[in-house]
């Protein structure tokens, strides 16, 4: 970046005589620079006064303005305490004059102008507060502190708020500050004395900066953004401030903290405090309720400031009036509040940067962001010109023709043309931003209830928890006409209404969800679809409505990312959490969102049952793979690192085969390899066997324990060696010996689906090698099939099918075909895990014919589609007597049938046919064996 004084525009002198005087005060300037000084001094009495006082310095400063600014800053750092007042005021004159000329001449862009003013404000606050802290330390008024603590202002941090925080300070701005001190720097018994000292230092700093002397003032300081300013001291302990925001913080304070920045004093302590406020500022879920809050703030500002009238340029408030700067800021900050909790890239302080980021993530159209950015820059330049005239803290356009003419001259514009452009820009800003917020219009009369909807059901809605608050009810009343209209368009409006009624009854609160629907009406179709089809998803939604965030988060309908990408995403989220419980809750919240996504995609026909099964399985694997290191780290903190190579999690059953449904338990076992290490080496060491047993229990708890965000999965470990009688974790040596020498046939059948999904790569590879070795042995067909026949009988005796829609349990159904497939894999020594592969293996080993295999495979595919759909619709299974229209339509769509009757008939026929095939195959093989 060059430091040349390259002028690209020039102001006009409103008073040519004064302009000529200004030019004479800085002799030796080049023509354009002289014209710039003349235009500034001839239009602004304030700038004329600065030129007259700093003319001797100005000529050299204009030759290299950035270097001149750096020298001013450096001089401020060296000022002795008794020279701070006059020294900082002289520096303010020079900074104000230099930035004004660089601004008027187009030498610096807006961001460099506001950045220079902001950096100077931070410098002054830092110099002033450290001077005061140093004086208090010398006088022993800050107990326990010494001279070395001056560099960090004794733990007092100054937070820059508003435009100061965003590096957007305007030309004649107050600086909004919050002063906090780190109470942990002091002994508890010294707290009150320390607080008195910090309050005194803060007051003295403000006076040093804002008192008017013969040299003027530096900055007016405003400390009213601190918590409860009417009753709290000007310097607060950080712990007290944190408690306030956690319990009483309001939306306007959240919006204010978007721009907050530690700018002076103890920067590190300030940044740490801001980090602690992230959960307060940035809500985990999309926060559309912030729209109403921001709208209410806008209305209050218009009412108290009298800025709500029509757009007329004379006297219009460029900041608070319609179409003004604040409208653009609210528009930007509110969207940042909505989405910034989920997307850290939107947590930007600057308005222009915020607009660009929102456009980049699809939250606003790119052309809207560009237009508002252009208007924002223009508005800020007009604001600066208004303030330059008399160094007045005002944002209003002058009322008089002369006043407007002065502003126009500073911009090098014709007054009429300038007014026309300002009016046009204000109007466009107002039109672009107003529709985003809640309308001002009075509520309309209650709409008529569409035909087919039971009014008595609708009448009870106001009694539900989600609609008891005035705010929730107000937003819902605006939604209700459109919601009822969408219900009326469903195939069975009465059923859909009752389903929605159950959903609303289960909602603990409604403001956030109703606000989300108001901002995204297309979500109401999805809600109606879900509540009218899946009782399970509807119940889940009523308790976890935040998962709707994912629908509008930009990637909800993207292709499935796969297990590896999911694992990496969750690992990154868990790594960012500060403690173990937060990690477990984060995993639950994240898993639910993806679980919901799979269900919605299946419900809406974007994926079939086969793809849904694979996705549910990959999601579960990603959760386990990402959580295992967290569990191990938490456990190792007490008991030391895992002995030897550690442990691996092995998926069994459907998870091992890579396909589960929405309600599946997770069948897993844990295998560890201590490599002859006898115990861990932590603070509380454990012998190897209890170490891994307790680590396994910790993992099960991490997956199954109900927490604030619910539970992840149910876990079943009965497929471990010796079943429930065996230890919860098995050593690799014991596992190998057991499988090779002691395992029952049913355990080898189960082993056909085993797959290591988490743990050290080399250990997982060894487990796979042992599995291959065990399964590759030759088998006695008669023994295997006799055991299969016995297992079928035991299963049939233990549990009868629940009805036609129970595609899992019973002769000729899923478990029966899975058993056949596992037997085929075991007999062929092929090691295949999936049902289709196992059935093909049964053909290869000569047990089943190709026709029998095809029939079983086709039936299993149908059963899977029915079972997966049923588990998505209801965790308890389907009741044929109460199937609603939405459920029937989804079942038919999922299975490829036109009617529910045709599907029922086909299922019944296949159950019988498949049972006959399996019976015949077992009998046939038994007869063959008996003749050998």
């Amino acid at each position: 970046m060059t430091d040349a004084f390259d002028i690209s525009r020039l102001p006009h002198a409103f008073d040519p005589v004064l302009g000529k005087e200004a030019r004479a005060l800085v002799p030796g300037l080049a023509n354009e620079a002289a014209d710039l000084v003349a235009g500034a001094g001839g239009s602004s009495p304030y700038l004329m006064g600065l030129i007259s006082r700093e003319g001797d310095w100005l000529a050299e400063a204009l030759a290299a303005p950035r270097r001149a600014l750096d020298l001013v800053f450096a001089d401020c750092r060296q000022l002795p305490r008794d020279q701070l007042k006059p020294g900082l005021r002289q520096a303010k004159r020079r900074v104000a004059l230099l930035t004004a000329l660089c601004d008027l001449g187009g030498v610096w862009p807006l961001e460099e102008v506001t950045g220079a003013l902001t950096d100077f404000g931070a410098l002054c606050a830092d110099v002033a507060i450290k001077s005061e802290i140093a004086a208090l330390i010398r006088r022993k008024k800050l107990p326990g502190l010494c001279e070395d603590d001056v560099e960090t202002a004794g733990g007092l941090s100054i937070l820059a708020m508003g435009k100061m925080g965003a590096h957007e300070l305007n030309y004649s701005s107050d600086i909004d500050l919050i002063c906090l001190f780190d109470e942990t720097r002091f002994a508890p018994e010294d707290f009150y004395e320390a607080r008195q000292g910090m309050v005194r230092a803060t007051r003295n700093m403000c006076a040093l900066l804002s008192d008017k002397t013969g040299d003027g003032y530096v900055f007016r300081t405003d400390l009213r953004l601190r918590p409860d300013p009417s009753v709290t001291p000007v310097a607060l302990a950080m712990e007290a401030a944190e408690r306030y925001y956690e319990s009483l913080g309001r939306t306007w304070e959240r919006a204010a903290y978007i721009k907050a920045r530690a700018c002076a004093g103890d920067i590190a302590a300030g940044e740490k405090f801001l980090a602690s406020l992230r959960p307060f500022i940035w809500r985990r879920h999309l926060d559309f309720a912030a729209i109403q809050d921001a709208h209410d703030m806008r209305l209050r500002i218009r009412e108290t400031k009298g800025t709500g009238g029509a757009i007329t340029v004379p006297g219009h408030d460029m900041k608070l009036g319609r179409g003004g700067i604040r409208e653009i800021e609210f528009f930007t900050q509110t969207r940042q509040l909505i989405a910034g909790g989920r997307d850290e890239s939107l947590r930007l302080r600057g308005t222009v940067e915020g607009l660009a980021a929102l456009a980049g993530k699809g939250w606003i159209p790119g052309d809207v962001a560009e237009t508002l950015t252009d208007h924002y820059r223009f508005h800020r330049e007009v604001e600066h010109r208004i303030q330059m005239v008399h160094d007045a803290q005002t944002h209003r356009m002058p009322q008089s023709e002369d006043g407007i003419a002065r502003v126009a001259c500073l911009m090098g514009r014709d007054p009429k043309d300038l007014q026309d452009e300002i009016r046009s820009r204000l109007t466009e800003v107002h039109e672009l931003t107003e529709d985003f917020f809640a309308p001002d219009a009075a509520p309309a009369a209650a709409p008529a209830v569409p035909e087919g909807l039971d009014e008595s059901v609708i009448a009870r809605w106001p009694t539900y928890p989600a609609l008891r608050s005035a705010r929730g009810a107000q937003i819902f009343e605006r939604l209700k006409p459109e919601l009822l209209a969408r219900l009326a368009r469903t195939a069975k409006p009465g059923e859909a209404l009752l389903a929605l009624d159950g959903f609303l009854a289960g909602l603990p609160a409604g403001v956030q969800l109703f606000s989300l629907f108001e901002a995204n009406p297309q979500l109401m179709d999805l809600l109606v679809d879900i509540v009218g089809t899946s009782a399970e998803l509807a119940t889940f939604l009523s308790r976890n409505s935040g998962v709707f965030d994912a629908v509008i988060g930009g990637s909800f309908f993207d292709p499935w990312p796969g297990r590896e990408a999911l694992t990496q995403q969750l690992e990154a989220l868990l790594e960012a959490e500060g403690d173990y419980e937060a990690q477990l809750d984060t995993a639950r919240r994240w898993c639910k969102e993806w679980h919901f996504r799979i269900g919605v995609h299946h419900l809406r026909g974007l994926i079939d049952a086969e793809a849904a099964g694979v996705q549910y399985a990959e999601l579960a694997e990603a959760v386990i793979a990402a959580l295992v290191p967290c569990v191990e780290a938490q456990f190792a903190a007490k008991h030391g690192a895992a002995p030897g190579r550690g442990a691996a999690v092995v998926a069994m059953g459907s998870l091992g085969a890579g396909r589960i449904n929405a309600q599946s338990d997770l069948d897993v076992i844990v295998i560890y390899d201590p490599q002859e290490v006898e115990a861990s080496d932590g603070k509380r060491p454990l012998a190897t066997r209890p170490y891994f047993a307790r680590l396994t229990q910790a993992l099960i708890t991490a997956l199954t324990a109900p927490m604030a965000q619910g539970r992840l999965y149910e876990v079943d470990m009965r497929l471990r060696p010796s079943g429930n009688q065996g230890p919860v974790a098995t050593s690799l040596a014991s596992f190998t010996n057991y499988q090779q020498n002691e395992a029952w046939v049913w355990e080898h059948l189960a082993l056909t689906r085993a797959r290591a999904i988490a743990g050290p790569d080399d250990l997982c590879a060894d487990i796979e090698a042992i599995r291959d070795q065990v399964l590759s042995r030759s088998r006695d067909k008669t023994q295997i099939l006799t055991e299969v026949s016995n297992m079928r009988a035991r299963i049939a005796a233990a549990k009868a099918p629940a009805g036609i829609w129970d595609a899992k349990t019973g002769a000729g159904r899923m478990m029966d075909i899975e058993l056949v497939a596992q037997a085929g894999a075991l007999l062929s020594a092929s090691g295949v895990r999936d049902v289709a592969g196992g059935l093909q293996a049964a053909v290869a080993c000569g047990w089943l014919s190709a026709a029998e295999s095809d029939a079983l495979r086709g039936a299993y595919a149908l059963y899977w589609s029915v079972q997966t759909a049923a588990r998505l619709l209801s965790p308890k299974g389907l009741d044929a007597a109460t199937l609603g229209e939405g459920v029937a339509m989804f079942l038919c769509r999922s299975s490829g049938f036109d009617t529910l009757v045709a599907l029922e008939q086909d299922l019944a026929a296949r159950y019988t046919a498949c049972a006959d095939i399996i019976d015949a195959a077992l009998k046939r093989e038994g007869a063959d064996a008996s003749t050998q």
Side-chain angles (χ1 to χ4, degrees), residues 231-273:
V231 297
T232 56
V234 293
L236 277 171
M238 289 180 177
E239 182 188 19
E242 189 174 348
R243 285 201 310 269
Y244 167 85
Y245 292 120
E246 285 177 352
S247 58
L248 299 172
R250 291 158 289 181
T251 297
W252 73 262
E253 289 170 309
R254 293 175 55 213
Y257 267 94
I258 290 178
K259 296 179 181 289
R261 174 175 58 89
C263 73
D266 192 336
I267 301 291
E271 291 297 340
K272 184 178 179 181
F273 172 79

Side-chain angles (χ1 to χ4, degrees), residues 271-286:
E271 291 297 340
K272 184 178 179 181
F273 172 79
L274 290 176
S276 74
L277 289 194
R278 282 175 193 155
F280 162 67
I281 306 166
W282 306 108
R283 300 291 164 82
R284 291 188 182 276
H285 296 300
L286 296 175

Side-chain angles (χ1 to χ4, degrees), residues 10-11 104 378 381-382 385 406-413 418:
L10 285 171
L104 292 171
F378 180 84
E381 288 189 358
V382 172
R385 305 308 179 266
R406 283 184 184 274
V407 173
C409 284
L410 285 171
M411 298 186 73
R413 300 288 300 276
L418 177 62

Side-chain angles (χ1 to χ4, degrees), residues 52 105 135 192 197 228 245 260 401 403 492 599 623 631 681 686 813 874:
S52 66
Y192 291 105
D228 210 354
Y245 292 120
E401 288 186 12
K492 295 284 186 178
V623 169
V631 176
D681 59 357
L686 291 171
R813 306 192 189 201
S874 171

Side-chain angles (χ1 to χ4, degrees), residues 50 153 164 206 226 246 303 354 391 405 409 486 562 636 646 728 773 798 810:
L50 295 182
M164 175 83 166
C206 292
R226 70 184 185 274
E246 285 177 352
E303 181 178 350
D391 187 30
C409 284
R486 291 173 192 246
V728 293
Q773 184 183 32

Side-chain angles (χ1 to χ4, degrees), residues 254-391:
R254 293 175 55 213
Y257 267 94
I258 290 178
K259 296 179 181 289
R261 174 175 58 89
C263 73
D266 192 336
I267 301 291
E271 291 297 340
K272 184 178 179 181
F273 172 79
L274 290 176
S276 74
L277 289 194
R278 282 175 193 155
F280 162 67
I281 306 166
W282 306 108
R283 300 291 164 82
R284 291 188 182 276
H285 296 300
L286 296 175
D287 187 17
F288 281 92
I291 298 175
Q292 183 71 45
D293 290 334
H295 177 63
D296 292 342
M297 282 189 280
R298 293 163 71 244
L299 294 183
R300 286 195 296 273
I301 290 171
R302 289 177 182 177
E303 181 178 350
T304 58
K305 300 291 185 179
T307 56
I311 296 174
T312 55
V313 176
H316 192 83
D317 194 315
M318 294 298 297
K319 177 181 178 181
L320 302 178
R322 288 183 182 268
I325 294 166
R326 184 55 56 84
E327 303 248 306
I328 301 173
E329 291 174 340
F330 270 17
F331 178 87
T332 307
Q333 291 169 17
T334 305
R335 277 172 162 75
Q336 288 176 290
L337 283 178
I338 289 170
R342 291 173 56 89
D343 188 344
E344 291 189 18
S345 69
L346 300 178
R347 302 177 187 180
L348 301 170
R349 296 183 176 101
T351 302
V352 171
E353 296 91 336
L355 285 168
L358 289 165
K361 291 302 182 75
W363 284 98
I364 57 176
D367 60 334
V368 171
E370 291 176 6
T371 301
L372 290 178
T373 295
D374 180 57
H375 291 327
Y376 177 79
R377 293 180 190 278
F378 180 84
H379 284 12
R380 292 302 307 275
E381 288 189 358
V382 172
E383 176 190 48
H384 283 188
R385 305 308 179 266
I386 294 169
Q387 294 174 344
M388 281 178 190
V389 175
H390 294 293
D391 187 30

